[in-house]
Every structure is written in structure tokens, then in C-alpha cells.
Amino acid sequence: MAVAVISVIGAVAGVVSVGMMVPSLIPEKDEKLTSVRIAAGLTTNEADTTAGNQPGVGLYDVMGRSIGSTKGKQTRILDGDFMDIKVPFNDNVGKKPTEYISVTDGGDDALCIAYIALTQPDGTKKVWYGDVGKACGAEWYHSQLKTGEDDYQPACIWIDRNGSNGLRYQGFGLHIHDFAATQERADQFQGNRDLMCKAAPRFKMYEKMTSDDYIPFFSPPLEYVAKKLTDKDPAVVLDKKRWVMPKEGPNIKKADVDADPKPSIARRQDPSQANGGRKFNTIIISKSHGHSAKELCESSASIGPDFVSLDEQLFCDMAAKKLWPLCSAIKAAGCFDQATSTMRAGKGLHGRDTDTGMYPPKKTYGKTVHWS
């Protein structure tokens, strides 16, 4: 008998939708603790190796009380791989079910998280996709991970401890209970994106965060329409009087919880700030129909290596956020040569591209990565 897939809130082409997760990608039950799988869509460090630091994880019950946590470590998660983090229960709390979770970067190597899958001691499974963070304005990139029977590939969102990669956020908190999907819930989030993105206890990115910090929770707990899982009273979700902190952490203060992250205006106005102001030594070439070079280039929040979409026949220069066509029989100059991973000069004076009037950038890479 086929094992049923798990429905998860995702996003396709900017539309909140129902994604699927195959159960084999979720950690096995451990009756003594909670297993949290962190999947890396992409990682980076100063040496351009495919590894990022294991994040810290905090688990909280329905009233925001800490029930268990682990510190981040220098242990690495490889690109397109995952790590199962075993979170023991705090003394004298029993095996309370997890409602809220915080994730913080564990070291100086940035990590782009594509999904979180949690299995409780009683076997209850919960999943969250990086699509939610992307839809809510987090820094993001495509991921190579395939999570559903239809080869669904969620986006990943970046966290970084020291900001050396030009990344803004150290961590995030979420009410993982709220991302089990029904079509009605997806439609409600799509119709009012604030319900998904502007309620701090449900999901929030933090520029300053440690694994010791508490996160806000809804008090009293939210109520949902049976089976549909939609919010009974959307106004309650956005009522800040219902956002409660059980204990303020050293960095997450009330003002920080209330404040909305400022948009990345500087990156749009200053070309040197595009892509976080960071230069990557890798180029990614993808065959996936779900990976758009155009979307990466048009997003002020996307950060990562230069990208080629074979489906679109486009190359995104992430440093300049500029699209170029791939070289072909029709376009043989002022284009990206996939065979050599270099830009061909245009036919104009000094190599200017006659179609755009721009000079093609000089590109060299230490590594070429192919995604299927």
C-alpha cells in the first residue's frame, strides 16, 4: 500500500499553494526525544566549499515555554543534504508536543534552509518549506532538493551568524503547526499574505538572534476551522496584543518582535550591494523547469551564485542582477557560452552588445555545478 504524502504550505510562481513531502524525507520517530531534520538547499563559506554550519534549534510548547534546545555547532551540512538534530526534553517538562520552533545559524558559514521536518516522540510529523520565508521577504535562492512525488523543489532561505556573506538574518521563528496544508488554508494565506508573513508568532526572520532567545507565541492559542485549517478569526492573528513573550532573550526585545524588516532598498539602488555585495566562485546550471534565472535576477532578496536556466535559456549575473541569453545559432555574441562558462563579447565597439548597448561582464568560475 502506498504511503500517503504530507501536505505542506509552499509557493509556486509567487502563489501560495499546497506542496507535498514524501514521508521518507522525514526523520524516524524516537520515543525519547524530538527529531528535527534541517535540509540545506545551498551553503557557502569563505573557501567556497559545499558546507555550512549546523544551526541551533529551540522547541517550545503551545504557551511558548521552552521544552528543549540544542546549540549550533561547526559540524557541516552539505549542499542538497540534511542533518537530523536530536533535541532532548528539558528536565521536568515531560514529552510536551512542539508548537513553535526557532532556528539560528550555528557558525560563520551561511546556510540556506530548504525545509524543516520534525517528528515528535508520539510519531506526529510536521514540515515547513523555505518557500514561506521567500514569500515573506527573506533572502533566498533556488534549491536542488526534490521533496515530493512530482519532484517539487522548495526555495531555501539564508541565515548567517556574522554577516560576512552580506546576509542580514541570524535566524527565524515559526509556529510550525500552521503550515500543514489544505487548499483552503493556502487560499486564505494567498488572499491575505499578512496572515502568513506579518504575524510574528507564525513566522518571523530576526536580524539578531541566538539559540538562547525566546520567540513570541499566540495567547490564547489560535482557533481554526475544522478540516479546512483556516483561521477562524484572521483579525486575532494580526492582533499584537495576542503576541506574547514568555521571557525576553538578550537580543529579541519587544520592539524587535514588532518591527518589520526594512526592504533591501540599498541593493536595488547600489549595484555593489546586489547579491549581498558578495562574489561567489561557483556557477549553477539547472535543467529544472521550476528554476527561473529571470526570477532570481528580478528579486532584490535573492542571493547566491550566478545561475543558468536551461529551460529558459537564460543566464543571471547575480552580482549585477542582469539577464543574458545563452549562446545559440541565433544569438552568437553578447551571450553566455554554456560550454566554457564565460560571456562572449558583443559585436559592437570594444565588445559592446549591440542588442542591449551593454558590455558583457568577464566571468570565470572555480566550480560548475549541474542541477537536474
Side-chain angles (χ1 to χ4, degrees), residues 28-186:
E28 295 294 327
K29 177 180 72 172
D30 187 322
E31 295 181 354
K32 297 180 179 180
L33 45 76
T34 304
S35 300
V36 180
R37 178 166 294 180
I38 304 291
L42 196 71
T43 53
T44 184
N45 63 23
E46 296 303 320
D48 282 314
T49 60
T50 56
N53 294 135
Q54 172 185 329
V57 173
L59 305 180
Y60 309 87
D61 69 8
V62 68
M63 297 305 295
R65 293 167 296 209
S66 175
I67 57 177
S69 64
T70 61
K71 299 285 188 180
K73 299 178 181 179
Q74 295 297 319
T75 308
R76 300 185 182 280
I77 307 177
L78 302 182
D79 283 350
D81 205 349
F82 61 81
M83 177 176 290
D84 287 345
I85 299 173
K86 305 297 185 179
V87 184
F89 288 96
N90 294 338
D91 293 338
N92 302 318
V93 301
K95 297 179 181 179
K96 291 183 178 179
T98 296
E99 287 273 339
Y100 297 87
I101 180 171
S102 66
V103 180
T104 59
D105 192 84
D108 294 338
D109 296 343
L111 179 66
C112 200
I113 296 175
Y115 73 81
I116 298 170
L118 178 148
T119 302
Q120 312 212 58
D122 65 357
T124 301
K125 301 177 186 300
K126 298 181 180 182
V127 182
W128 177 88
Y129 277 165
D131 288 345
V132 172
K134 173 189 172 186
C136 294
E139 293 160 331
W140 69 280
Y141 196 74
H142 292 312
S143 85
Q144 61 184 309
L145 291 167
K146 296 179 180 180
T147 61
E149 293 178 334
D150 58 351
D151 288 340
Y152 185 79
Q153 293 174 296
C156 63
I157 64 167
W158 289 102
I159 56 173
D160 186 26
R161 172 56 48 197
N162 63 4
S164 61
N165 294 289
L167 300 166
R168 299 168 59 197
Y169 300 108
Q170 294 183 342
F172 56 93
L174 61 99
H175 188 209
I176 197 167
H177 178 81
D178 288 348
F179 297 100
T182 63
Q183 189 58 54
E184 292 85 357
R185 174 174 269 176

Side-chain angles (χ1 to χ4, degrees), residues 197-230:
C197 300
K198 298 295 186 179
R202 180 162 278 169
F203 175 76
K204 184 174 175 62
M205 300 295 299
Y206 293 95
E207 294 186 2
K208 297 292 184 181
M209 189 181 206
T210 73
S211 56
D212 293 325
D213 291 332
Y214 283 77
I215 57 177
F217 67 97
F218 291 110
S219 181
L222 298 179
E223 295 183 6
Y224 309 94
V225 177
K227 296 184 179 180
K228 295 181 180 181
L229 303 184
T230 51

Side-chain angles (χ1 to χ4, degrees), residues 151-362:
D151 288 340
Y152 185 79
Q153 293 174 296
C156 63
I157 64 167
W158 289 102
I159 56 173
D160 186 26
R161 172 56 48 197
N162 63 4
S164 61
N165 294 289
L167 300 166
R168 299 168 59 197
Y169 300 108
Q170 294 183 342
F172 56 93
L174 61 99
H175 188 209
I176 197 167
H177 178 81
D178 288 348
F179 297 100
T182 63
Q183 189 58 54
E184 292 85 357
R185 174 174 269 176
D187 291 344
Q188 188 179 53
F189 285 171
Q190 177 62 23
N192 186 352
R193 194 65 66 89
D194 285 357
L195 292 176
M196 187 172 74
C197 300
K198 298 295 186 179
R202 180 162 278 169
F203 175 76
K204 184 174 175 62
M205 300 295 299
Y206 293 95
E207 294 186 2
K208 297 292 184 181
M209 189 181 206
T210 73
S211 56
D212 293 325
D213 291 332
Y214 283 77
I215 57 177
F217 67 97
F218 291 110
S219 181
L222 298 179
E223 295 183 6
Y224 309 94
V225 177
K227 296 184 179 180
K228 295 181 180 181
L229 303 184
T230 51
D231 295 312
K232 274 190 175 182
D233 186 351
V236 168
V237 179
L238 300 174
D239 183 359
K240 293 182 179 180
K241 295 179 181 178
R242 301 284 294 270
W243 305 354
V244 178
M245 294 287 290
K247 176 182 177 182
E248 290 192 350
N251 295 317
I252 303 178
K253 303 299 183 184
K254 188 69 165 58
D256 189 45
V257 172
D258 287 342
D260 291 326
K262 296 179 181 179
S264 303
I265 295 175
R267 290 181 189 158
R268 295 196 296 268
Q269 296 177 339
D270 182 357
S272 69
Q273 293 303 308
N275 214 24
R278 190 185 191 282
K279 295 181 179 180
F280 290 79
N281 194 36
T282 299
I283 183 169
I284 293 176
I285 300 175
S286 175
K287 295 180 180 179
S288 173
H289 298 301
H291 288 162
S292 171
K294 185 173 185 288
E295 183 184 22
L296 278 174
C297 262
E298 291 180 348
S299 171
S300 64
S302 64
I303 293 181
D306 286 351
F307 193 87
V308 170
S309 167
L310 297 180
D311 185 58
E312 295 174 318
Q313 289 291 292
L314 291 173
F315 162 72
C316 176
D317 176 0
M318 289 288 289
K321 291 295 179 75
K322 166 65 179 171
L323 280 172
W324 294 89
L326 299 191
C327 296
S328 65
I330 299 174
K331 179 71 171 176
C335 57
F336 185 80
D337 188 332
Q338 180 191 341
T340 61
S341 293
T342 58
M343 287 291 301
R344 290 184 189 174
K347 293 182 178 180
L349 183 65
H350 303 304
R352 184 191 296 269
D353 178 42
T354 54
D355 291 336
T356 64
M358 300 182 65
Y359 291 103
K362 294 182 179 180

